[in-house]
Amino acid sequence: MSAGVDRVTAAFARARAEDRAALVGYLTGFDPDRAGSRERIFAACEAGLDVLELGVPFSDPAADGPTIQAAMTRALASGASMAGSLALAAEIRQRFELPIVLFSYANPLVSFGPERLARETAEAGVDALLVVDMPPEHAEVLRGPASARGLGWIGLVAPTTTPARRARVLAASSGFVYAVSLTGVTGAPLDASDAGLHAGLATLRGASSLPIVVGFGVRKAEDVRALARHADGVVVGSALVEAGQRGPAALGELVAALRGGTRRV
Amino acid sequence: MTAVHPEDDNLLRGPPELLGEFGEFGGRYVAETLMPAVEELARAWPQAWTDPAFVDEYRAILRDYVGRPTPLTEARRLPAAVGGGRIFLKREDLNHTGAHKINNCIGQVLLARRLGKTRIIAETGAGQHGVATATACAYFGMPCTVYMGAEDVSRQALNVVRMRLLGAEVRPVTSGSATLKDAINAALRDWVASVADTHYVIGSVMGPDPYPLMVRELQRVIGDEARAQILDRIGRLPDAAVACVGGGSNAMGLFAAFVPDKAVQLFGVEATGEGLQGRHAATMAKGRIGVFHGMRSLVLQTDDGQLLEAHSISAGLDYPGIGPEHAHLHATGRARYLGISDREALAATELLARTEGIIPALETAHAIAALPAVIRELGPEAVVLVNVSGRGDKDMHTVMTHLDPATLSLIEEAEQGRKAARAAHQAAAASGERKEGT
């Protein structure tokens, strides 16, 4: 079995072969606590996630909406740490083959040490990094050591991104590129049928051979269905975090329903 | 000092030292959605600042509305209390709205208009930057939303009233520690969603590039005026310039004019709060390099990279980060940073009030409190320039609860006397009514 960026690439190839979009699910590690988050993440993976985006909590998540902020606050209150998050990732890896993307903010990762981060994330079975407040201009400090260990670097393209910036983001990206669906924070209301959004995804598709994954504000199976033809993958975050608060079973049900929306009909 | 602005394309693969704007500090660590706006500002700012029409309008407003130039007052009786020296006070407390903050707000709202933005947002801790932003917005007729930690809303209720009176909407922030850093997070979240028509007026020399540079330039009027005034007054430069630092805008505004004058020693004064073993805001003494609020700088954080809550009796210094240029001046040794506790700041508030008839803001009092150490080092003949960054009216409630048992008992006595007098008055009135009724 491949690892790192190759495992990410393989997951999208598999979904494409099945004529569906990949379902990328975000959950915060240690939310509500270590055992509770493991249980929920396992349930989500079993219910059909193609890619797991595992959030390492940060005290000041300025790019996230209230749902993920609150999840990170709960996680920190229950003792989340960088080392603990990596141990959690390793447990997930022992049980599941799906690609794991580590999501966080620059400070906890830089604080951990770029070399150590690259080594220990790779050892834990993490396949790529997504650092929301680290634009390509600043990414090299983490991206360099991570790339050297075969890890992917997930760049973000926003609706406000200019063509010049888009080229820079794409040049730094590997594994997939994250298309931010809306001008706002995670969990904001989204019209998944918006023609402008679909056109933006088409433009991005024309600019890159990487898988294109759209996220922010995707909540329901019908949102996924509306986007599945326009992207290689769809991310659901805040809605999963909310479902997780109702327990692993509710989360598993939502993932199964979302998975149903990935098929391109 | 000159900020490094490498060409964008060099940044991607450029050497690490180019990543910061000020040595290894600074940068633009924001979500991609905001990057184009930050780039637009970085392009627009130098154009505006070299456009005589823009600069003339900014200066005219500072003169005719803010009340600049502010005076330079030589302290008469303070030197005897701090070990000597000739001490010159730069009177930013005499600006409209009572502090230096307005210099920056006028400039940024002017820039926002130039960029075609139609809405202003800001964060505020104690409320001073919020009041200054609300004032600038009232002056220009722009809608204004101010984010303020819920803790601060209740601690600084008077400033909430001022902002509302000025037409601003105040949005309390309950997430995180519900203080300044969380207000900044909330303003960033607003900006991510509203960036097309909204300008974010950051209140200090912090945040992503170009804010640290832009706010410094908008505040350097403090140092430029003070430098000319002291040369005019005594025909020489001071031996030292002293200012308090939270984010660091009043200090950077003062220092900017003197950085090239190598003989002028620069002292920043940070808040050690309850002491370095307890709760404090001593970023220079206890911070570690980190990435926070869009910049790489010194940050108070745990070993695991989570932000710590800062504490100072002065809400304006109560911030767990510091402007990147200060971190650079600190790293290169060009400026030195001293620490002053809550208790020392309170004592200095009283000292300046009694010796000079000036009640300083608690922030400013930290700079005053550092004077004995500065004079001790430089000698009793030293000429020292201190930035009186703001006036203390806003802090009277804090001062009253912390400072002076004698004052408190005086107020208590007066209150009891007033109650007694009212009771006597009511008793007399009641007996009068009874008489009339009979």
Side-chain angles (χ1 to χ4, degrees), chain A residues 57-64 69 76 80-82 106-108 110-111 132-138 156-158 160-162 165 168-169 171-172 180 183-185, chain B residues 8-9 11-13 19 27-36 39 175 181-182 185 188-189 192-193 195 288-293 296 301-307:
Chain A
F58 180 46
S59 53
D60 293 79
D64 279 296
Q69 263 181 73
L76 288 171
S81 65
M82 193 64 223
N107 201 54
V110 169
S111 175
V132 71
D133 58 348
M134 210 163 213
E137 288 84 344
H138 294 303
L156 294 101
V157 172
T160 52
T161 302
T162 56
R165 288 203 55 79
R168 210 176 308 150
V169 171
V180 178
T183 306
V185 292
Chain B
D8 282 347
D9 289 340
L11 273 172
L12 182 52
R13 295 181 207 293
L19 290 176
R28 296 175 190 161
Y29 293 87
V30 293
E32 177 59 28
T33 307
L34 291 179
M35 282 298 282
E39 287 183 348
S175 58
K181 80 176 173 69
D182 308 286
N185 293 335
L188 284 168
R189 288 184 189 111
V192 165
V195 62
R288 201 155 58 78
I289 290 180
V291 176
F292 181 51
H293 286 159
R296 180 177 155 93
Q301 56 181 312
T302 66
D303 291 343
D304 212 40
Q306 308 297 339
L307 270 288

Side-chain angles (χ1 to χ4, degrees), chain A residues 35 40 44 46 59 62 84 99 103 140 150 171 201 209 212 226 229 231 240 246:
Chain A
R40 284 161 178 77
E46 272 158 14
S59 53
F103 167 93
E140 205 47 38
L201 291 169
S209 55
I212 293 171
R229 280 180 296 118
L240 292 193
R246 299 194 296 274

Side-chain angles (χ1 to χ4, degrees), chain B residues 143-230:
Chain B
C144 177
T145 299
V146 179
Y147 289 91
M148 187 171 189
E151 282 289 319
D152 292 327
V153 168
S154 56
R155 285 192 293 201
Q156 309 284 340
L158 206 57
N159 272 340
V160 175
V161 176
R162 291 170 82 193
M163 287 184 272
R164 288 195 174 143
L165 204 55
L166 290 159
E169 178 199 1
V170 180
R171 288 191 193 165
V173 178
T174 53
S175 58
S177 57
T179 60
L180 174 60
K181 80 176 173 69
D182 308 286
I184 295 172
N185 293 335
L188 284 168
R189 288 184 189 111
D190 180 313
W191 204 31
V192 165
S194 63
V195 62
D197 66 357
T198 297
H199 175 70
Y200 177 15
V201 178
I202 293 182
S204 192
V205 286
M206 47 147 291
D209 174 75
Y211 282 98
L213 177 73
M214 177 168 70
V215 177
R216 178 196 78 196
E217 289 300 293
L218 291 170
Q219 291 292 3
R220 72 174 297 141
V221 63
I222 302 169
D224 287 343
E225 281 180 11
R227 191 175 185 281
Q229 285 166 321
I230 201 160

Side-chain angles (χ1 to χ4, degrees), chain A residues 108-120:
Chain A
L109 304 188
V110 169
S111 175
F112 196 68
E115 287 295 338
R116 183 180 170 206
L117 179 77
R119 186 179 65 246
E120 296 193 14

Side-chain angles (χ1 to χ4, degrees), chain B residues 128-426:
Chain B
Q128 293 305 101
H129 173 59
V131 167
T133 306
T135 300
C137 287
Y139 181 85
F140 289 107
M142 297 265 266
C144 177
T145 299
V146 179
Y147 289 91
M148 187 171 189
E151 282 289 319
D152 292 327
V153 168
S154 56
R155 285 192 293 201
Q156 309 284 340
L158 206 57
N159 272 340
V160 175
V161 176
R162 291 170 82 193
M163 287 184 272
R164 288 195 174 143
L165 204 55
L166 290 159
E169 178 199 1
V170 180
R171 288 191 193 165
V173 178
T174 53
S175 58
S177 57
T179 60
L180 174 60
K181 80 176 173 69
D182 308 286
I184 295 172
N185 293 335
L188 284 168
R189 288 184 189 111
D190 180 313
W191 204 31
V192 165
S194 63
V195 62
D197 66 357
T198 297
H199 175 70
Y200 177 15
V201 178
I202 293 182
S204 192
V205 286
M206 47 147 291
D209 174 75
Y211 282 98
L213 177 73
M214 177 168 70
V215 177
R216 178 196 78 196
E217 289 300 293
L218 291 170
Q219 291 292 3
R220 72 174 297 141
V221 63
I222 302 169
D224 287 343
E225 281 180 11
R227 191 175 185 281
Q229 285 166 321
I230 201 160
L231 282 174
D232 183 55
R233 192 81 54 87
I234 62 170
R236 56 163 287 200
L237 291 172
D239 298 302
V242 183
C244 63
V245 287
S249 72
N250 92 79
M252 218 46 252
L254 182 70
F255 292 176
F258 295 100
V259 165
D261 303 317
K262 299 292 182 213
V264 180
Q265 296 201 41
L266 306 175
F267 292 95
V269 185
E270 63 181 2
T272 55
E274 296 169 350
L276 291 180
Q277 306 312 315
R279 302 186 305 151
H280 59 79
T283 313
M284 290 298 190
K286 291 289 190 177
R288 201 155 58 78
I289 290 180
V291 176
F292 181 51
H293 286 159
M295 62 189 171
R296 180 177 155 93
S297 190
L298 291 170
V299 177
L300 294 175
Q301 56 181 312
T302 66
D303 291 343
D304 212 40
Q306 308 297 339
L307 270 288
L308 290 167
E309 284 176 32
H311 163 80
S312 167
I313 191 168
S314 122
L317 304 185
D318 193 349
Y319 180 65
I322 191 160
E325 191 168 7
H326 281 296
H328 179 63
L329 292 175
H330 176 67
T332 57
R334 177 64 189 92
R336 286 158 60 197
Y337 293 83
L338 312 173
I340 287 295
S341 69
D342 289 350
R343 191 189 296 262
E344 291 168 315
L346 279 164
T349 303
E350 191 173 359
L351 177 66
L352 192 68
R354 292 188 178 190
T355 55
E356 301 296 334
I358 298 168
I359 299 175
L362 284 170
E363 290 81 359
T364 307
H366 286 73
I368 302 296
L371 287 173
V374 171
I375 304 281
R376 196 156 54 238
E377 179 171 332
L378 301 182
E381 306 303 315
V383 175
V384 179
L385 172 64
V386 189
N387 196 14
V388 181
S389 55
R391 68 177 185 226
D393 309 41
K394 70 185 175 64
D395 295 320
M396 285 307 99
H397 183 73
T398 309
V399 170
M400 194 178 84
T401 51
H402 285 86
L403 186 59
D404 181 0
T407 307
L408 284 178
S409 60
L410 212 66
I411 293 169
E412 190 86 341
E413 275 171 38
E415 181 72 6
Q416 280 168 2
R418 198 177 60 80
K419 278 184 187 157
R422 189 167 58 187
H425 178 76
Q426 281 170 346

